[in-house]
């Protein structure tokens, strides 16, 4: 089951935010979308999620156009983590993770055990009884991630799912960033989940992504394995920065990107 | 938990039947109810008292239950729709919009279309109140939503503006109103549970009870909506149609209640808050308990209204405002402290 964008352009008012992008996403792949602020990463993700209708072009999930899926069918097939979620009501952390089980018909006991496992994977098990609004920004982000994990959780069943995440590590400390990306890579490789994730940290993308998309001013600049697309020329141009491109000392392969000293 | 709140409502209701300008013992209440149900034969000595209980206090009690339940549940639903614990039918102008509809019908309806008013007044008032409430709610909701989020200052200011406009128009209408109409208008601005007409009570119940019941199945969608509208859709809810249905239900319930009992403020704000402290924010539990506790609270408030200065009566809207005003201030202070922290 492919997730396909076909010549998609997105406009907001008079601004064209995404220019004529065609892409195929597959399950089993961890795909990272990188690019400078305002490049259209979030717009692309929200268009994929169905939040924004494209001005031109078509989006397909499997055989059907995205807008012909029912809300519930879609909720069973893919989960979306937005960049920011505000929740001012005192739900417990476990309640929030359990919301991910809403579309499913599983019994309450297994829902709770799945929600708890998802929290455990995001290192939030110890927060289960806390009120969500009292958590720190990073903790809230981890709990929301656990919610979408619980939504794509499919114990035993052999279904293809997609997980769309908009900057899921923006508020996380270094170790939680690595834990989450390892987790996402595991989901893609072992659970038949297609993971599409926007990210600012190029080194993380280089280390974990199966595939990287570079966006700039709404256009797709590069699409391929990180080692192929992260070139000195592309990155310096796109980010307008004098960078220093190295290979990771441990394996000599993975690109390592650092700004040059002035 | 739900049965506990139901038992509380039942107990308070029974007590309230025995309280009034003429104190009545539990035995007399039981006898009157039994008599009304045809279980007990009439006794001339207690007939008068029985009539007070079954024809004055009982309809008033039932109306109080409807008003408390309807306003409290409408408040809980609005807070979830706006994703903001400070939304309330009174503050955001739904009640005053409904009041404007009703007042306009009383003042203009009688002079412009007396035949229609005489013929369909019972239906006309709730209908115009519903329309007024719907327009206000739609307006505030549209204004307050900025980029898929509810902008709190805009929401409250839009409510202030709608209240000011409807207040001005109601003022204008009362200026041109006749003396008898004026008395009715004052009743609207303060709220009252006085009702002796079983037909009007039945009509109110026939709209408010199904209206409240139809809110319940959307509890899960409201929970998801607290995360955000897109998030609710991603969790499988058709949030656009849920929103539309709930806005219509809120306007309908509030409109009908305002048409029959006037503007009774703060119930929709206060009750869901108290309940969230007791039961948590999950609407599957919050909505039914809010309805039951709202009814209980209003019956209690009406007991105070009837007895505090007996044989005279304080308008119940004044009592809910005396309770609710300081509560709202406390909420604002707490909200500011939280944002500062």
């Amino acid at each position: 089951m492919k997730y396909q964008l076909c010549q998609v352009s997105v406009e907001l008012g008079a601004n064209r935010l995404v220019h004529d992008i065609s892409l195929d996403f597959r399950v089993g792949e961890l795909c990272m979308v990188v690019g400078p602020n305002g490049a259209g990463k979030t717009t692309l993700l929200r268009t994929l999620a169905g939040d924004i209708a494209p001005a031109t072009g078509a989006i397909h999930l499997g055989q059907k156009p995205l807008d012909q899926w029912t809300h519930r069918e879609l909720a069973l097939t893919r989960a979306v983590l937005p960049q920011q979620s505000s929740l001012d009501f005192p739900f417990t952390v476990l309640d929030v993770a359990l919301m991910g089980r809403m579309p499913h018909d599983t019994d309450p006991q297994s829902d709770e055990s799945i929600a708890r496992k998802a929290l455990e994977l995001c290192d939030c098990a110890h927060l289960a009884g806390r009120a969500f609004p009292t958590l720190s920004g990073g903790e809230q982000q981890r709990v929301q991630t656990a919610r979408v994990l619980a939504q794509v959780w499919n114990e035993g069943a052999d279904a293809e799912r997609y997980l769309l995440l908009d900057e899921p590590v923006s508020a996380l400390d270094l170790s939680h960033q690595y834990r989450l990306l390892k987790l996402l890579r595991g989901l893609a490789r072992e659970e038949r989940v297609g993971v599409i994730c926007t990210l600012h940290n190029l080194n993380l993308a280089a280390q974990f992504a199966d595939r990287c998309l570079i966006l700039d001013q709404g256009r797709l600049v590069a699409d391929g394995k990180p080692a192929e697309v992260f070139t000195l020329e592309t990155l310096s141009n796109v980010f307008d920065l004098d960078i220093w491109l190295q290979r990771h000392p441990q394996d000599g392969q993975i690109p390592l990107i650092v700004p040059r000293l002035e | 938990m739900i049965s506990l709140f139901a038992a509380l409502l039942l107990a308070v209701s029974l007590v309230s039947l025995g309280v009034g300008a003429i104190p009545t013992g539990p035995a007399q209440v039981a006898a009157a109810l039994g008599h009304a149900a045809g279980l007990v034969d009439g006794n001339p000595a207690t007939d008068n008292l029985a009539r007070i209980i079954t024809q004055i206090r009982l309809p008033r009690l039932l109306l109080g239950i409807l008003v408390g339940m309807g306003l409290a549940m409408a408040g809980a639903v609005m807070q979830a729709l706006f994703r903001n614990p400070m939304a309330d039918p009174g503050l955001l102008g739904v009640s005053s919009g409904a009041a404007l509809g009703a007042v306009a019908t009383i003042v203009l309806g009688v002079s412009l279309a007396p035949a229609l008013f005489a013929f369909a007044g019972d239906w006309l008032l709730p209908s115009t109140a519903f329309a007024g409430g719907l327009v206000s709610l739609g307006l505030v909701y549209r204004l307050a939503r900025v980029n898929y989020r509810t902008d709190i200052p805009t929401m409250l200011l839009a409510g202030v503006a709608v209240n000011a406009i409807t207040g001005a128009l109601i003022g204008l209408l009362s200026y041109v109103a006749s003396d008898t109409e004026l008395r009715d208008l004052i009743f609207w601005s303060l709220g009252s549970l006085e009702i002796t007409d079983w037909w009007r009570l039945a009509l109110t119940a026939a709209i408010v009870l199904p209206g409240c019941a139809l809110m319940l199945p959307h509890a899960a969608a409201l929970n998801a909506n607290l995360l955000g509208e897109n998030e609710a859709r991603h969790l499988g809810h058709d949030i656009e149609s849920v929103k539309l249905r709930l806005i219509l239900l809120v306007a309908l319930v509030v409109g009908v209640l305002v048409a029959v009992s006037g503007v009774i403020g703060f119930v929709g704000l206060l009750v869901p808050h108290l309940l969230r402290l007791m039961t948590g924010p999950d609407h599957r539990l919050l909505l039914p308990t809010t309805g039951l506790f709202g009814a209980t609270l209003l019956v209690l408030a009406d007991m105070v209204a009837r007895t505090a200065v007996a044989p005279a009566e304080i308008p119940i809207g004044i009592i809910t405002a005396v309770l609710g005003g300081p509560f709202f201030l406390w909420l604002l202070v707490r909200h500011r402290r939280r944002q500062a922290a």
Side-chain angles (χ1 to χ4, degrees):
Chain A
M1 189 176 54
K2 281 184 183 172
Y3 218 137
Q4 289 177 304
L5 291 175
C6 187
Q7 296 185 309
V8 164
S9 295
V10 181
E11 285 166 5
L12 197 73
N15 299 322
R16 180 160 273 211
L17 303 178
V18 168
H19 285 269
D20 192 29
I21 289 187
S22 296
L23 283 167
D24 273 12
F25 297 99
R26 287 171 291 274
V27 293
E29 189 178 70
L30 173 53
C31 180
M32 305 258 193
V33 185
V34 301
N37 294 137
K41 304 184 294 294
T42 296
T43 307
L44 183 72
L45 209 72
R46 293 186 57 195
T47 309
L48 271 174
D51 293 348
I52 310 177
T56 60
I59 310 163
H60 278 74
L61 177 55
Q63 302 301 317
K64 271 195 285 183
L66 193 66
D67 54 14
Q68 283 179 22
W69 287 69
T70 68
H71 294 283
R72 177 141 186 276
E73 277 178 340
L74 259 188
L76 290 169
T77 312
R78 62 115 171 85
V80 184
L81 180 71
Q83 207 173 96
Q84 277 181 333
S85 321
S86 57
L87 177 63
D88 290 336
F89 290 75
F91 281 98
T92 65
V93 164
L94 182 63
D95 286 336
V96 174
L98 270 171
M99 286 189 193
R101 301 303 298 169
M102 272 183 185
H104 297 268
D105 282 331
T106 36
D107 61 282
Q109 284 84 11
S110 37
D111 282 346
E112 187 177 330
S113 100
I114 288 168
R116 285 191 187 278
K117 278 184 216 161
L119 286 172
E120 178 80 52
L121 285 176
C122 295
D123 193 25
C124 299
H126 61 291
L127 303 171
R130 286 267 301 274
F132 183 85
T134 65
L135 303 181
S136 77
E139 288 170 331
Q140 293 194 350
Q141 197 170 30
R142 274 150 49 201
V143 174
Q144 295 282 2
T145 309
R147 170 174 70 81
V148 293
L149 285 182
Q151 192 179 343
V152 295
W153 203 284
N154 212 335
E155 225 152 52
D158 188 32
E160 300 181 317
R161 289 99 71 208
Y162 280 91
L163 187 55
L164 314 182
L165 307 114
D166 197 1
E167 292 186 28
V169 301
S170 58
L172 302 190
D173 61 56
L174 194 61
S175 101
H176 282 110
Q177 291 186 16
Y178 274 80
R179 286 176 69 145
L180 178 62
L181 285 169
K182 250 192 256 177
L183 178 68
L184 294 179
R185 189 170 63 183
L187 268 182
R189 293 201 177 153
E190 285 142 38
E191 300 281 338
R192 308 232 296 161
V193 176
V195 184
I196 306 163
C197 171
T198 67
L199 205 66
H200 273 302
N201 186 329
L202 298 176
N203 290 315
L204 275 181
Q207 188 175 341
F208 289 96
D210 296 313
R211 175 186 180 192
C212 261
L213 308 176
I214 303 178
L215 289 188
D216 190 21
Q217 295 175 20
R219 293 172 205 278
L220 184 63
V221 176
D223 174 3
K225 289 195 164 56
E228 296 162 4
V229 298
F230 284 0
T231 64
L232 192 60
E233 197 195 351
T234 313
L235 293 178
S236 316
N237 276 338
V238 165
F239 288 97
D240 191 23
L241 183 72
D242 205 3
I243 59 163
W244 197 53
L245 184 69
Q246 279 281 357
R247 300 286 155 181
H248 199 289
Q250 268 181 304
D251 74 342
Q253 296 280 326
I254 296 172
L256 202 61
I257 299 117
V258 192
R260 277 185 188 277
L261 298 178
E262 301 258 311
Chain B
M1 184 72 106
I2 294 174
S3 49
L4 197 74
F5 279 99
L8 182 67
L9 173 59
L10 190 67
V12 169
S13 301
L14 288 175
V15 171
S16 106
L17 284 178
V19 173
I22 304 164
T24 330
Q28 286 158 310
V29 172
L33 289 179
H35 178 58
L39 298 175
V40 185
D41 286 334
N43 172 353
T46 59
D47 262 3
N48 221 8
L49 205 57
R51 213 172 294 130
I52 288 176
I53 290 170
T54 56
Q55 288 180 14
I56 296 176
R57 289 188 196 163
L58 188 59
R60 189 177 175 126
L61 166 71
L62 294 177
L63 182 63
I65 289 173
L66 289 175
V67 171
M69 181 192 311
L71 290 181
M73 286 179 73
V77 166
M78 283 180 69
Q79 287 164 17
L81 280 178
F82 281 88
R83 275 188 292 287
N84 190 287
M86 267 178 261
D88 165 82
L91 285 170
L92 298 193
V94 189
S95 302
S96 59
L100 176 61
V103 168
T105 309
I106 293 176
V107 176
L108 302 177
V110 176
S111 52
L112 295 181
L116 181 68
F117 190 76
F119 173 67
D122 280 346
W123 293 98
L124 211 55
L125 269 185
S127 310
T128 50
F130 161 61
L134 188 62
V135 169
S136 308
L137 183 54
L139 196 67
V140 174
Y141 190 76
R142 271 289 168 83
L143 286 173
R145 274 199 331 152
V146 182
N147 295 329
Y148 299 95
R149 300 189 60 184
T150 304
D151 186 56
I152 305 161
T154 314
M155 175 189 83
L156 293 175
L157 287 175
V160 169
V162 168
N163 276 325
I165 295 167
T166 52
L169 291 177
I170 290 175
L172 190 67
L173 286 168
S174 27
Y175 187 71
V176 300
S178 67
D179 280 353
T180 45
E181 286 164 358
L182 206 56
R183 203 200 152 279
D184 284 344
L185 299 195
I186 289 170
F187 150 88
W188 245 281
S189 62
L190 297 175
S192 165
L193 295 178
E194 220 178 297
I195 190 167
T196 46
D197 184 350
W198 282 97
W199 157 243
R200 282 216 316 176
L201 185 65
L203 184 67
T204 310
I207 294 170
V208 172
L209 290 178
C212 288
L214 286 172
M215 293 174 188
L216 295 175
H218 298 302
L222 286 177
N223 286 345
N225 189 58
L226 293 180
L227 291 170
E229 277 171 39
N230 287 323
E231 285 79 350
R233 195 168 46 243
H234 297 154
L235 286 168
H237 299 287
D238 185 1
I239 199 69
E240 287 303 320
S241 74
V242 168
K243 260 168 25 190
L244 185 66
R245 219 172 293 169
L246 286 172
I247 285 180
L248 285 171
L249 285 174
V250 165
L252 186 68
V253 166
V254 173
V256 168
L257 290 176
V258 166
V260 69
S261 67
V263 178
I264 298 176
F266 295 102
V267 180
L269 179 76
L270 201 132
V271 178
H273 264 280
L274 291 176
L275 263 296
R276 247 181 244 119
L277 295 176
M278 286 187 257
T279 69
D282 185 341
H283 288 88
R284 287 168 297 182
L285 189 57
L286 185 68
L287 284 183
T289 50
T290 291
L292 291 169
F293 193 69
T296 309
L297 201 73
L298 212 71
V299 170
L300 280 172
D302 190 46
M303 262 157 53
V304 177
R306 286 187 289 133
T307 53
V309 291
E313 202 179 286
I314 309 172
I316 188 162
I318 292 179
I319 295 179
T320 58
V322 163
L323 285 173
F327 179 78
F328 182 62
L329 284 177
W330 172 77
L331 264 183
L332 273 180
V333 170
R334 202 177 69 141
H335 189 74
R336 274 189 53 171
R337 277 212 199 111
R338 258 205 205 149
Q339 282 195 325

